[in-house]
Amino acid sequence: MKKFNEIQLNPLIYKGMEKIGYEEMTEVQEKVIPVAITGCDIIAQAPTGTGKTVAFAIPLLETIDPELEKVQAIIISPTRELTVQIAKEISKVAYYMKDVEVVAVYGGEAIDKQIYALKKRPQIVVATPGRL
């Protein structure tokens, strides 16, 4: 398996990956990340727990402009549990990218709190279809 430091990434992403203990790529990450970074559209299917979120989070974070305070990416997730999980995983990878904000928007929580978070102009929004 390839290591994350074998591909050209923002150094802050490397640091985030180190912090969460990820060194080697999984099979899906090894196949997806290098292609997705080039801007190609990708459809990937892999079992639960194989690192799909990181496989799309890294290329996504590579394209985010931290100085641009507006939504640059929207991720639609089918359930609130998955929405929260995706937002947390992206936030972990982006831990050292201090100006990158990730917000989860989903039903079952007070909308006022989520509207307040959106008014802060996050770059990444992860949402369920109904709340989006």
Side-chain angles (χ1 to χ4, degrees):
M1 290 286 167
K2 266 189 176 178
K3 293 187 180 259
F4 285 102
N5 64 9
E6 292 178 39
I7 56 176
Q8 184 92 18
L9 295 175
N10 178 327
L12 297 176
I13 293 174
Y14 288 130
K15 283 182 72 175
M17 297 301 289
E18 261 180 31
K19 181 175 179 1
I20 55 180
Y22 292 175
E23 292 178 14
E24 290 186 354
M25 290 187 240
T26 64
E27 182 180 358
V28 70
Q29 293 164 348
E30 192 173 335
K31 290 179 178 178
V32 168
I33 294 169
V35 177
I37 285 176
T38 68
C40 290
D41 292 335
I42 292 177
I43 297 174
Q45 184 175 349
T48 300
T50 57
K52 292 181 298 293
T53 302
V54 169
F56 75 78
I58 288 175
L60 175 69
L61 289 168
E62 283 287 325
T63 66
I64 296 295
D65 180 351
E67 294 181 18
L68 193 57
E69 293 180 353
K70 69 176 194 174
V71 175
Q72 298 171 47
I74 298 174
I75 300 166
I76 303 171
S77 170
T79 67
R80 75 174 148 231
E81 292 81 9
L82 189 55
T83 297
V84 170
Q85 179 184 333
I86 291 168
K88 283 182 181 177
E89 192 72 14
I90 294 172
S91 294
K92 287 179 190 176
V93 175
Y95 182 82
Y96 292 100
M97 301 173 81
K98 294 299 182 190
D99 294 328
V100 174
E101 294 294 324
V102 182
V103 172
V105 181
Y106 51 92
E109 289 287 323
I111 197 164
D112 296 348
K113 182 175 146 185
Q114 294 174 0
I115 289 171
Y116 178 75
L118 290 169
K119 285 183 178 181
K120 290 183 170 184
R121 300 182 162 214
Q123 288 87 0
I124 302 170
V125 175
V126 186
T128 56
R131 189 53 61 104
L132 181 61

